Amino acid sequence: MQQLTLRIAGMSCAGCVNSVRSALGRLPGVQVRQVEIGQATLEFDPTISTPESIQSAIVKAGFEPLTG
């Protein structure tokens, strides 16, 4: 398992937190550790999910993962 912390733009309320948590929780091989406004911390199995698939799930939930 690898740990990943992502900053996320566009989150402003508890509903946003729940949307991101739900989107990430549906991904195979991903264990969500913490989601708060502007950030998510998770662990993932790189043989099952990739950072790109995780970022894609965040985008599909309506938010923008920030890199760098």
Side-chain angles (χ1 to χ4, degrees):
M1 297 293 273
Q2 293 184 4
Q3 184 167 336
L4 178 63
T5 299
L6 288 170
R7 292 182 308 127
I8 304 169
M11 297 174 69
S12 61
C13 65
C16 298
V17 169
N18 289 335
S19 292
V20 170
R21 181 181 289 120
S22 177
L24 294 174
R26 287 191 295 268
L27 293 174
V30 173
Q31 295 179 345
V32 179
R33 294 295 176 214
Q34 181 177 12
V35 179
E36 56 190 36
I37 293 174
Q39 182 172 295
T41 301
L42 51 95
E43 291 182 352
F44 70 100
D45 182 337
T47 64
I48 299 172
S49 286
T50 64
E52 292 79 16
S53 66
I54 292 166
Q55 292 177 3
S56 178
I58 293 169
V59 169
K60 288 178 184 174
F63 303 97
E64 180 184 357
L66 302 173
T67 58

